[in-house]
Amino acid sequence: MLDHPFTIFRPFKDRLRVAFLDRSDPEMKDTKRAKILGCSDAAALHQMHGKRVIRVDSQTARTEQADGMITDKKCLVLMIRAADCQNFVVFAPEKSIVGMMHVGWRGLEADIIGSFFDVLQKEFKTSPEGCFIGGGPSLCKSCADFSDPMHELPHVPKHLIERNTADLMRAADERFLELGVSDDRMERMPGCTRCSPEKFWTYRGGHREEVKAGKTNILATVLL
C-alpha cells in the first residue's frame, strides 16, 4: 500500500489520508482495508461506468449503483476500484469534504466530472475553485486505443485524438480546468496501468479474467 501518494494533500495530513493499493497488496474485504487506514466503516460502490454521484454518510457495501461519492463524515473510508479507468480523490479543505470518482471513457463521455461538482454544490454548497484533485494511475494516451475514437468519443476534444488513440487523462484535466479547478491544485500519480502490468491490475494489459473476477487497483481516502 502506498500511503500519502500525492504531494498536494500533504499539507492536510492531519485532516485527510489517501492510500493506493495495487497488485502487490493482498486481497481483502473493504472493511479490512478500512481498518488498515484506522477506521471501521467503508463506503464502496457498484460502479457502472456512468455519471451518477451520491452523498454517503455511512457504510455502504458496493450496493449503490454509482461512480462517484462525496462525504463530510470522519472515519468513513471511501474506496474506488479501477483497472485502467481514471480514478480521482477530490478534497475541499475549507469545509473538510472529500469525494471520489471512477471515470471510465463512458463516464467521461457522460460528464461524470460535471455531475460530481453539481452534487458537491447542491449538497455542500462547495464549488470546484476550492478543491484539490489527486488522480491515480490509468491508461496513458498511447494505451487508450479505440476502434473509431472520433465517433466513440464525440465529447472528447478533437485535438486530444490521434489516429486510434485518445488522451483521456488530458480530457479529464481540461474538464476540471473548465469547471474552475486551478491547474496547480491537480496532481496525478505516475504510471500507466497497461504499460506496467507487473505493478498494476490492468484489464487491457493482460489481466482481463482476474479483473472480471474482482481484482483491481484501489484508491482510498478518509477524513480524519
Side-chain angles (χ1 to χ4, degrees), residues 76-217:
L76 176 62
V77 180
L78 310 186
M79 300 180 197
I80 285 290
R81 305 177 304 285
D84 291 338
C85 294
Q86 297 186 74
N87 46 108
F88 297 102
V89 176
V90 181
F91 180 53
E94 187 175 335
K95 294 186 178 180
S96 289
I97 297 163
V98 71
M100 304 197 79
M101 277 183 279
H102 164 253
V103 185
W105 68 266
R106 291 182 178 86
L108 189 65
E109 271 294 304
D111 193 26
I112 185 175
I113 296 174
S115 295
F116 180 94
F117 287 108
D118 286 344
V119 174
L120 187 65
Q121 177 62 42
K122 180 181 178 181
E123 294 288 338
F124 299 100
K125 302 296 186 288
T126 299
S127 65
E129 289 84 357
C131 295
F132 290 79
I133 314 291
S138 60
L139 294 175
C140 69
K141 180 181 178 181
S142 298
C143 289
D145 52 352
F146 296 84
S147 299
D148 187 356
M150 285 291 188
H151 288 88
E152 292 170 278
L153 304 167
H155 296 101
V156 169
K158 298 300 181 281
H159 68 276
L160 299 179
I161 295 175
E162 184 177 349
R163 296 183 181 179
N164 70 323
T165 63
D167 192 344
L168 301 179
M169 289 186 184
R170 186 60 198 172
D173 290 349
E174 289 191 2
R175 184 60 176 137
F176 284 123
L177 292 170
E178 184 180 70
L179 289 165
V181 179
S182 175
D183 185 57
D184 62 358
R185 291 188 170 198
M186 298 191 298
E187 180 184 352
R188 286 182 180 273
M189 291 176 59
C192 164
T193 50
R194 191 174 183 179
C195 287
S196 303
E198 74 286 349
K199 183 176 183 179
F200 305 114
W201 291 109
T202 168
Y203 184 83
R204 296 195 187 195
H207 307 143
R208 182 169 297 191
E209 295 307 314
E210 292 96 329
V211 171
K212 285 182 178 179
K215 295 181 179 179
T216 67
N217 311 299

